[in-house]
Amino acid sequence: MERMIRGRFAPSPSGRMHLGNLFSALLAWLSVRSAGGVLVLRMEDLDPDRCRPEYAEQLAEDLLWLGLDWDEGYGKGGPDGPYLQSERTQQYAAAFGRLEEMGLVYPCYCTRAERLAASAPHRSDGQAVYGGRCRNLTAEERSALEQAGRRPAWRLKVPDEVWTVADGHMGRYGENLLRDCGDFIIRRSDGVYAYQLAVVVDDAAMGVNQVVRGMDLLSSTPRQCYLYHLLGLEPPEFRHVPLLLAEDGRRLSKRDHDLDMGALRARWTPEELTGRLAVVAGLQSEPEPVSPAALAEDFSWDRVPRTDIVVPRGLFE
C-alpha cells in the first residue's frame, strides 16, 4: 500500500509573495493534490527582525485567493502544531540538546569579517566555506572571548564525508560536508535557532514526507539529511524546482515589486494568473485561464523544466 503524501508550503512572512514564491507554492500544491495527499501550511517566521504577523495574514489570504488551500496548519490548526516557527522554540532546543550531548556542537565567536577571512575558498554558488576557526578553542580561549563581550553562535561539526540526495526532480546531488560546506550554524548568537535545524525538526514532527521548494535550497539539503541522520529521523522525498529569472539573468525576488502579489492581483484574475504560471511550469503551451484544481487533474512532474526558467517579458505585465 502506497503511503499518503504529506506535503507542505513553508514560506517566510517577511513581505508580500512574489512570482517565484507562487511558482513553488503552485507546484507543491499540485504535487500533493494530484496524489490525493495532505498539505500543511507552516510559517517560517524565525527571524524576529524581518517577519511580521500581518505579512503571514496577507500571505495566507493571497494563497486562498489563487485557489491554493491547505488541510492543516496556519489559521486551521491540526495535530502537529503550533505552525509558527516562532512558537516552536522548545522543540528546537530539545534537538539542539541532543546534538550537544553527542559532542557535536561548539560555540563560534567569529565576527562576519573573521568568518570570511578564515574561510576556505568560496563555493561555486558564492557561499564561503567555514574553515573551523573556533572548532578547537580551549576553555581559556573561550573564556577570554566571552569576557571581551563576544556572544557566540553555535555550530555543528560535520564529517569529511559526501552526503548525497536523490532529488525526485533534479536527480542526484551530493556534497562533501567538510570541504563544500564546513561546520554550519544551528543557533545564532542572538539565540534564534537557524533554518537548517528548524526545518528538519518541523518537517519530521509534522509528518512531512515530500518537500517541494526552490532550487536555491538544493545545496542545503545534504546538511539537512545529515541532521535527520543524527536525530534518528526519516528524511522526506525532496523535489527542487527551477528558479525564475528575469530576461537579464537575475533571479526574481521580493525586490521586484512589479511581480509581487499586490501588482499581480491588480492585473489578473486567479485563473488568468494560474494560466500564466502554468506556461512557465510547462503545464500549458498558451496562457489560457485555468484553476489549480483543473491543472491537478493531469499534473505530471515530467512536464516541469529542470533548468532555471527565463520569464518572457510581457507574460506577467
Side-chain angles (χ1 to χ4, degrees):
M1 180 177 178
E2 291 188 8
R3 66 176 182 173
M4 175 177 285
I5 290 179
R6 284 181 61 87
R8 51 82 154 172
F9 184 50
S12 173
S14 57
R16 201 78 184 262
M17 282 196 299
H18 63 81
L19 198 64
N21 302 137
L22 287 181
F23 182 66
S24 293
L26 177 62
L27 289 174
W29 191 92
L30 290 172
S31 188
V32 170
R33 293 293 183 236
S34 64
V38 173
L39 192 67
V40 177
L41 176 62
R42 181 176 71 239
M43 294 291 175
E44 299 198 332
D45 61 340
L46 280 171
D47 191 335
D49 297 326
R50 297 175 60 242
C51 298
R52 299 284 185 272
E54 57 268 29
Y55 293 155
E57 289 287 336
Q58 182 66 73
L59 197 153
E61 200 274 327
D62 282 340
L63 289 172
L64 292 175
W65 175 85
L66 196 65
L68 305 181
D69 62 344
W70 57 96
D71 304 296
E72 300 174 13
Y74 181 83
K76 286 199 170 188
D80 303 314
Y83 296 93
L84 289 167
Q85 285 190 327
S86 58
E87 298 177 0
R88 299 182 61 82
T89 303
Q90 288 185 340
Q91 289 90 328
Y92 310 144
F96 181 90
R98 290 184 59 188
L99 298 170
E100 200 170 27
E101 289 172 0
M102 297 177 197
L104 296 175
V105 175
Y106 67 89
C108 174
Y109 300 88
C110 295
T111 63
R112 175 175 172 78
E114 288 170 340
R115 287 199 304 270
L116 293 175
S119 293
H122 284 47
R123 304 186 327 183
S124 60
D125 62 5
Q127 294 186 38
V129 180
Y130 183 68
R133 177 187 177 104
C134 291
R135 186 192 261 226
N136 297 311
L137 291 178
T138 65
E140 291 77 13
E141 288 170 326
R142 292 176 180 176
S143 177
L145 287 165
E146 290 178 2
Q147 289 178 9
R150 293 284 184 96
R151 295 176 60 189
W154 294 81
R155 291 185 182 269
L156 181 73
K157 295 179 182 178
V158 299
D160 186 6
E161 296 175 5
V162 174
W163 280 70
T164 302
V165 181
D167 187 87
H169 188 56
M170 293 295 182
R172 295 179 68 81
Y173 173 81
E175 283 192 352
N176 181 292
L177 294 179
L178 188 64
R179 295 200 298 267
D180 298 329
C181 165
D183 300 339
F184 58 92
I185 292 173
I186 58 173
R187 195 173 79 188
R188 301 185 336 191
S189 60
D190 61 1
V192 174
Y193 288 94
Y195 168 80
Q196 306 294 356
L197 179 64
V199 73
V200 167
V201 171
D202 288 346
D203 281 341
M206 295 175 187
V208 171
N209 55 31
Q210 184 185 89
V211 169
V212 176
R213 60 190 186 185
M215 183 68 178
D216 54 325
L217 292 170
L218 178 59
S219 64
S220 69
T221 309
R223 280 172 271 171
Q224 292 166 22
C225 287
Y226 180 55
L227 278 167
Y228 276 107
H229 167 73
L230 292 176
L231 295 171
L233 303 172
E234 183 71 23
E237 174 198 22
F238 292 95
R239 290 179 181 265
H240 289 83
V241 302
L243 301 180
L244 302 188
L245 307 178
E247 288 189 332
D248 61 5
R250 71 187 159 77
R251 176 183 161 195
L252 297 180
S253 72
K254 290 181 180 177
R255 291 186 295 273
D256 299 294
H257 295 296
D258 57 330
L259 292 178
D260 74 12
M261 275 300 286
L264 293 170
R265 285 182 62 165
R267 198 173 294 141
W268 310 109
T269 68
E271 292 78 15
E272 288 170 339
L273 180 54
T274 302
R276 283 160 169 74
L277 285 167
V279 170
V280 173
L283 305 178
Q284 287 191 160
S285 58
E286 298 294 332
E288 299 296 331
V290 66
S291 68
L295 286 177
E297 292 176 4
D298 63 348
F299 173 73
S300 170
W301 276 103
D302 291 337
R303 298 161 66 185
V304 179
R306 290 178 170 81
T307 56
D308 290 345
I309 302 166
V310 175
V311 179
R313 186 182 298 274
L315 184 60
F316 292 93
E317 295 179 353

